[in-house]
Amino acid sequence: MPKTQPQLFTIATLGSHSALQILKGAKDEGFHTLAVVTPQNERLYSSFAFVDEVEVIPEYSHFPKLEPKLAGRKIILVPHGSFVAYLSLREHKAMTTPYFGNKAVLDLEADRMKQRDWLLRAGLKMPRQFTQASDIDRPVIVKLYGALGGKGYLFVKNADDFSTRAAKLKQQYIMQEYIIGVPVYIHYFYSPLTGKLEIMSMDRRYESNVDSLGRIPSADQEGWDLQPSYVVIGNQPISLRESLLAEAFHMGEAVVRVSRELCPERGLFGAFCLETIVTPEAEFFLMEISARIVAGTNLFIDGSPYSYLNYDEPMSTGRRIAREIKNALLSNSLEMVLDQSSKLPEFYLADLESPGVAISGPGVPAN
Ligand code: AMP
Ligand code: AMP
C-alpha cells in the first residue's frame, strides 16, 4: 500500500544497484519515489524514509509486466545497471513508461564492436583486440558479453593457454590485450538542457580475487593453480592526479560528441562512465563505456570532491539526474531528457503547464 497519495511526479527504479542513491536524490529534489522490488528486498527498501512506495514483483525480469499498472501515473523511470543485467535489450527498448536517457545509445553500448568503433572514433586509446586465437602474442583478458560485473572473465597468458582454457567457451566473448595499470572509473553527467559536461566522481573497483593476489607472495603462489578472476565486490574512491583531469574531461566530451554522429537524433545524455586503466606512462586505456549511472557512484551519495566543485550542496549522480528532470519540468522541456519511446499520458501533459503541482521543494515556485 502506498504511504502517501501519489500526486507528485514519481521517480521510479528497480530496487537494486544504485536505487537507494537515485531515490534519495529524487526525494531531495522534491519528487515522490517508488522502488520496484523483489520480495526479499521489500523490507529493506521500505525501511528508508525517502522511499515513498514499494511495488513488489516476483523477479526483476517481470518488470515489463508492471507497465500497464504504471501507465496511469506520472512516472519517470531512471535506469541503472540492473535494467541491463535483468532485462533483454529488446524488452528494455519495448517499454514505453517515460524513461530518463536515450535508449538508442543502448544499441551502441551492447554491441562490443559498435562500442569499440564509438570510442575509437572519439580518439580514445583502447587495448588491442584479437579476433583469432592464433594471433595472441601477449597476455589477454577474455571478456564475455553482457553486464556481468566481470563474472566469467579469464586471464590468458598466451595462445597455448587460450586453447587449453578458453577455446570451449559457449558464450560470445572478446579477447583484449591485458593492460597493467590502475583501473579508474570516471563518472560523468552531460546535461542536454545546458549542453554542459560535469565530472561527478571517480572510483576504482575492488575485484575478487585479482585485487587480493598481491596479499600472497608470488613465491608462495608458485605451483598453485591460481587464476585471477574479476568479479566486482565493491568500489573504492579515487581522486585523479590533477594534471590528468583535463584529459579525463576531454575524453567525456569526445564520447558525447561522437554519440551524436552515431545516433543523429540526440546521442548520449545524462549519467555515463568511462572505464579506464591508466598505465605507468599515464595513458588512459578505455576498457568500456557504461551509458548510465554506474554503481561506483554509490560511494558519493553525499557528494564527491568533484561534485563539490560545482555545487555547494551534496550532489550525487542520482540527485543530479533528478535535478535535470526537475529543471526540464520547470522549463517545460521534459521531452529533452526522456527517451523517444516515452508515452506521456494526456493528464501528464496538462500538469506540465504548472510544475508546482508536479514537484515540491527547493527551487520550485509555489502555485
Ligand atoms: P545487481 O543488481 O547487484 O546484480 O547488479 C546488476 C549489475 O550491475 C551487475 O551484473 C554488475 O555488472 C553491476 N554492478 C552491481 N554492483 C556493482 C558495483 N558495486 N560496481 C560495479 N558494478 C556493479
Ligand atoms: P569490464 O567488464 O570491462 O568493466 O571489466 C571488468 C574488470 O576486468 C576491470 O575492472 C578490470 O579489472 C578487468 N579488465 C577488463 N579489461 C581489461 C584489460 N584490457 N586489461 C586488464 N584488465 C582488464
Side-chain angles (χ1 to χ4, degrees), residues 16-17 81-82 85-86 147-149 205 232 235 295:
S16 184
H17 191 270
S82 301
Y86 304 123
L148 299 166
R205 283 187 178 182
V232 62
N235 311 75

Side-chain angles (χ1 to χ4, degrees), residues 110-158:
D111 180 326
R112 289 208 187 251
M113 295 303 159
K114 287 187 185 159
Q115 184 182 127
R116 189 173 175 87
D117 178 53
W118 176 11
L119 298 174
L120 290 175
R121 277 172 72 164
L124 309 185
K125 279 187 272 319
M126 295 200 71
R128 199 172 144 194
Q129 197 138 298
F130 295 89
T131 44
Q132 311 256 25
S134 54
D135 294 341
I136 297 175
D137 61 355
R138 65 195 77 191
V140 297
I141 182 162
V142 177
K143 302 164 75 165
L144 306 181
Y145 272 45
L148 299 166
K151 201 164 159 220
Y153 287 11
L154 290 178
F155 171 78
V156 168
K157 229 177 341 183
N158 50 38

Side-chain angles (χ1 to χ4, degrees), residues 141 143 153 176-179 185 207 275 277 287-288:
I141 182 162
K143 302 164 75 165
Y153 287 11
Q176 233 176 40
E177 168 186 12
Y178 196 89
I179 308 285
Y185 286 56
E207 293 166 349
E275 308 185 354
I277 297 194
M287 289 180 285
E288 236 173 68

